[in-house]
């Protein structure tokens, strides 16, 4: 059975593109960059971008499955509009728009039509795109109750699709996954660096992060002295990081056990004083 801490490999390829990356899509929908060269006839809506990001996350998780490998080989997923709708509670029109955006951005490649077969660009390590490696997608956490019943939508379906804040939040989520520390569940990045990567304002970043916290995708901690670095088992930087960094705990990725239960710096320090917890990071079999 799929465990709650199971993760799937998500290609770093799309997250590191200079061109149509997730945050590039969000910028385009916010009209903060010109659409040139003209990948899209018209700028996508925030809802279509959010649907695309949800679908991408779902397809990556779906591809990490033995039954899929038997049906279409590695690095691909065989599905239907109806299955994606069931997973994510999206309308057929939104599924169509989201898939179209992902193909236009080269995040996926359609190799079959009835049923749909999509190759996830960058999953194959033997390709130029795959050589960039992977980040960890917390599949078990994002599946939620679907781990027990294949008739249920995944937990990610409860994340909103409408509005710019929802779009910004999912773009931020993928950014945080791309900077998670190697041996724990902590992503560490400053607001200034987030602004550089996403072109979001401080207000937009805060509103997007609030949505991720409210939907149990992350927790946010201040990380502003040596004690907090040491509490997470991370080396103290030789130089002060630019800006004041936050630590973002990615729900569903295994780190130190108490990291999953805290949401404030005070709680974290109290846990650290009360208990000594050895590192318990294990990759799933």
């Amino acid at each position: 059975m799929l465990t709650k801490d199971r993760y799937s490999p998500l290609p770093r390829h799309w997250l590191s593109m200079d061109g149509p990356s997730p945050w590039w899509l969000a910028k385009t929908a916010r009209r903060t960059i010109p659409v040139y060269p003209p990948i899209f006839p018209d700028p996508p809506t925030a809802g279509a971008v959010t649907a695309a990001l949800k679908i991408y996350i779902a397809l990556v998780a779906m591809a990490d499955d033995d039954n899929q490998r038997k049906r279409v080989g590695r690095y691909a997923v065989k599905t239907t509009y109806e299955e994606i709708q069931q997973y994510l509670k999206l309308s057929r029109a939104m599924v169509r728009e989201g898939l179209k955006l992902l193909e236009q951005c080269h995040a996926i490649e359609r190799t079959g039509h009835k049923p749909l077969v999509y190759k996830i660009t960058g999953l194959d390590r033997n390709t130029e795109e795959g050589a960039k490696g992977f980040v960890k997608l917390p599949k078990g956490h994002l599946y939620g109750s679907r781990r027990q019943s294949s008739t249920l939508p995944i937990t990610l379906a409860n994340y909103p699709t409408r509005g710019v804040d929802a779009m910004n939040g999912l773009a931020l989520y993928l950014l945080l996954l791309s900077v998670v520390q190697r041996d724990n569940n902590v992503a560490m990045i400053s607001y200034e660096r987030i602004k550089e990567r996403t072109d979001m304002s401080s207000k937009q970043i805060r509103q997007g992060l609030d949505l991720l916290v409210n939907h149990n995708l992350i927790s946010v901690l201040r990380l502003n002295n040596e004690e907090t670095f040491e509490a997470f088992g991370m080396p103290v930087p030789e130089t002060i990081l630019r800006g004041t960094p936050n630590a973002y705990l990615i729900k569903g990725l295994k780190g130190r056990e108490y990291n999953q239960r805290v949401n404030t710096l005070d709680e974290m320090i109290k846990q650290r004083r009360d208990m000594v917890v050895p590192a318990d990071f294990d990759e799933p079999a």
Side-chain angles (χ1 to χ4, degrees):
M1 186 178 73
L2 181 66
T3 59
K4 66 180 181 180
D5 57 2
R6 168 66 183 272
Y7 74 82
S8 296
L10 186 149
R12 194 176 288 278
H13 158 71
W14 195 36
L15 308 185
S16 62
M17 288 181 67
D18 294 329
S21 62
W23 21 99
W24 185 94
L25 266 181
K27 289 180 189 180
T28 305
R30 293 193 306 267
R31 315 296 201 271
T32 56
I33 59 171
V35 188
Y36 187 83
I39 294 178
F40 314 117
D42 297 297
T45 65
V49 173
T50 306
L53 300 183
K54 280 187 170 185
I55 292 168
Y56 182 71
I57 290 170
L59 291 179
V60 168
M62 292 164 68
D64 181 28
D65 181 84
D66 287 341
N67 289 329
Q68 288 285 357
R69 296 186 186 100
K70 292 175 183 176
R71 290 192 289 176
V72 290
R74 301 175 67 186
Y75 322 125
V77 58
K78 181 178 181 180
T79 187
T80 62
Y81 274 42
E82 291 75 17
E83 184 176 42
I84 296 172
Q85 287 179 263
Q86 182 191 64
Y87 267 67
L88 295 170
K89 297 194 293 190
L90 294 173
S91 69
R92 189 175 183 87
M94 275 297 185
V95 172
R96 183 175 60 250
E97 286 299 309
L99 289 171
K100 182 170 69 174
L101 286 177
L102 293 174
E103 287 188 75
Q104 290 171 323
C105 291
H106 308 294
I108 61 175
E109 177 187 352
R110 186 184 300 198
T111 59
H113 292 268
K114 292 185 178 180
L116 300 172
V117 178
Y118 286 103
K119 180 181 177 182
I120 311 297
T121 309
L123 269 186
D124 185 354
R125 284 186 178 274
N126 296 317
T127 63
E128 181 180 350
E129 297 86 356
K132 296 179 180 178
F134 310 99
V135 302
K136 293 178 180 179
L137 178 73
K139 175 176 179 175
H141 182 71
L142 294 173
Y143 266 43
S145 298
R146 191 178 175 86
R147 297 197 307 268
Q148 283 75 46
S149 173
S150 61
T151 63
L152 296 173
I154 64 176
T155 296
L156 185 62
N158 297 323
Y159 184 87
T161 302
R162 296 182 182 276
V164 173
D165 290 344
M167 174 188 70
N168 290 340
L170 270 194
L172 289 170
Y173 185 63
L174 290 170
L175 175 61
L176 295 179
L177 290 181
S178 75
V179 296
V180 168
Q181 304 291 307
R182 180 178 297 274
D183 291 332
N184 56 43
N185 61 337
V186 180
M188 192 170 60
I189 189 170
S190 70
Y191 259 48
E192 288 305 313
R193 182 58 176 154
I194 294 174
K195 289 177 183 178
E196 289 176 8
R197 293 290 298 277
T198 67
D199 203 31
M200 295 182 198
S201 67
S202 294
K203 181 180 179 181
Q204 289 171 328
I205 294 170
R206 184 171 61 253
Q207 290 171 334
L209 292 173
D210 284 346
L211 269 178
L212 296 179
V213 171
N214 292 339
H215 287 82
N216 198 34
L217 295 176
I218 66 169
S219 291
V220 183
L221 299 173
R222 297 297 291 173
L223 195 62
N224 53 16
N225 57 43
E226 292 186 6
E227 184 179 46
T228 53
F229 279 92
E230 293 168 353
F232 284 110
M234 296 186 294
V236 179
E238 294 181 3
T239 58
I240 300 298
L241 294 176
R242 183 168 41 146
T244 302
N246 280 346
Y248 301 93
L249 276 58
I250 308 300
K251 298 297 185 73
L253 292 184
K254 289 187 70 174
R256 297 192 174 193
E257 184 178 354
Y258 64 83
N259 286 3
Q260 305 285 3
R261 302 197 302 270
V262 299
N263 289 280
T264 69
L265 179 60
D266 288 341
E267 289 176 357
M268 187 273 289
I269 291 176
K270 182 178 185 302
Q271 291 281 2
R272 181 174 182 265
R273 288 171 178 165
D274 291 347
M275 60 192 298
V276 177
V277 181
D280 65 349
F281 181 91
D282 293 305
E283 293 194 1

